[in-house]
Amino acid sequence: MEPVWIQLTEENLDREHLCCIIRSKKPYPGVEAKRRWLADRIREGHVFRKLDAKGIVFIEYAPLETAWVPVEGENYLYLYCLWTSGEYRGKGYGRALLESCLADARAQGRSGVCMLGADKQKAWLTDQAFARKFGFETVDTAPGGYELLALSLDGTAPRFAPNAKRQTIEDPELTIYYDAQCPYIWQSVQLAQRACEEAGAPLHLRPVETLEQAKSLPCVFNNWAVFYRGAFQTVNLLDAAALRRLLRK
């Protein structure tokens, strides 16, 4: 049987599950925050496409001009997340989703599709080895081993904004920039607050609430970015052990 795909719209957003966190019917703060975030993004061309199943099988992308990332370029799509998990892996769903994104780019007359990667695969980033099989290549780099991958359809290439390569801030305390796109952000913020309270360490949370803020961030960003002692550390969501190790530096 052919898979059935659902694309989120303003009409079905409230009743469809968001794949990333599969939970009971009880409202979950991270999921509800993402719904509110998506309500505005869908009007800007943001795409959330998923398998019609209660599982983690989805893709998210948006026009680069309105993508909340410090990346510059003309006429590209930005791929935020492509994720298949558990029993849905190995069935061709990831390929189908990425092919649908590339087909969308061609249908819209886009210059290509780009995404955040790294010289070594990092957690919470789309599998870049998988993307490279489709022709994605490194077109720009940033300190810390981060890479901008792109599949160009017309020979042009996007680039990191100059501010994304700065990767320093004046604040020496643990500082986290985040937005509401990922449902896991809410619990990661709560975890960071608890870890810093237990360690007696100050924590500065910096919510990213506008496109302009996201485009001007002093680091690469995919919805979460951690600084400590004035230096950029990671885009990974951190568990309590990782936070404690970071605070001991």
Side-chain angles (χ1 to χ4, degrees), residues 159-214:
R159 59 207 168 272
F160 286 120
N163 46 279
K165 298 186 178 186
R166 193 167 74 241
Q167 300 203 350
T168 59
I169 59 175
E170 294 182 2
D171 195 337
E173 313 297 350
L174 181 65
T175 302
I176 299 175
Y177 294 87
Y178 67 96
D179 65 26
Q181 182 187 356
C182 175
Y184 287 94
I185 295 294
W186 181 84
Q187 66 189 42
S188 295
V189 167
Q190 304 297 307
L191 188 152
Q193 289 175 320
R194 289 195 300 271
C196 287
E197 287 174 4
E198 292 170 0
L203 170 64
H204 294 172
L205 295 172
R206 301 285 186 259
V208 178
E209 298 174 324
T210 68
L211 174 65
E212 291 71 25
Q213 289 176 339

Side-chain angles (χ1 to χ4, degrees), residues 50-234:
K50 68 188 185 101
L51 184 67
D52 186 14
K54 196 170 183 180
I56 299 175
V57 188
F58 72 99
I59 192 170
E60 270 191 273
Y61 58 90
L64 181 56
E65 293 81 1
T66 56
W68 286 32
V69 290
V71 176
E72 300 175 343
E74 292 73 42
N75 205 34
Y76 267 76
L77 295 178
Y78 182 83
L79 174 55
Y80 284 108
C81 191
L82 171 61
W83 194 4
T84 63
S85 182
E87 64 182 289
Y88 299 98
R89 293 178 62 86
K91 299 182 183 295
Y93 294 138
R95 172 175 289 276
L97 284 167
L98 186 50
E99 286 177 345
S100 75
C101 174
L102 298 178
D104 205 359
R106 293 186 178 96
Q108 294 180 34
R110 294 282 176 178
S111 296
V113 180
C114 60
M115 58 179 272
L116 181 62
D119 55 2
K120 294 182 180 179
Q121 181 68 40
K122 298 181 183 295
W124 303 101
L125 290 183
T126 295
D127 184 348
Q128 58 211 34
F130 179 71
R132 289 184 188 278
K133 293 178 181 178
F134 287 78
F136 281 76
E137 299 177 332
T138 300
V139 294
D140 199 4
T141 60
Y146 290 93
E147 300 178 349
L148 182 63
L149 275 59
L151 192 162
S152 178
L153 299 176
D154 65 3
T156 64
R159 59 207 168 272
F160 286 120
N163 46 279
K165 298 186 178 186
R166 193 167 74 241
Q167 300 203 350
T168 59
I169 59 175
E170 294 182 2
D171 195 337
E173 313 297 350
L174 181 65
T175 302
I176 299 175
Y177 294 87
Y178 67 96
D179 65 26
Q181 182 187 356
C182 175
Y184 287 94
I185 295 294
W186 181 84
Q187 66 189 42
S188 295
V189 167
Q190 304 297 307
L191 188 152
Q193 289 175 320
R194 289 195 300 271
C196 287
E197 287 174 4
E198 292 170 0
L203 170 64
H204 294 172
L205 295 172
R206 301 285 186 259
V208 178
E209 298 174 324
T210 68
L211 174 65
E212 291 71 25
Q213 289 176 339
K215 290 293 189 187
S216 63
L217 286 172
C219 61
V220 298
F221 184 73
N222 210 48
N223 55 46
W224 174 271
V226 180
F227 282 80
Y228 189 52
R229 299 191 185 281
F232 174 64
Q233 302 294 322
T234 186

Side-chain angles (χ1 to χ4, degrees), residues 7 40-48 61-63 66 77 104 108 110:
Q7 184 161 319
D40 291 328
R41 307 289 79 73
I42 287 173
R43 301 185 190 109
E44 300 168 351
H46 186 110
V47 172
F48 189 115
Y61 58 90
T66 56
L77 295 178
D104 205 359
Q108 294 180 34
R110 294 282 176 178

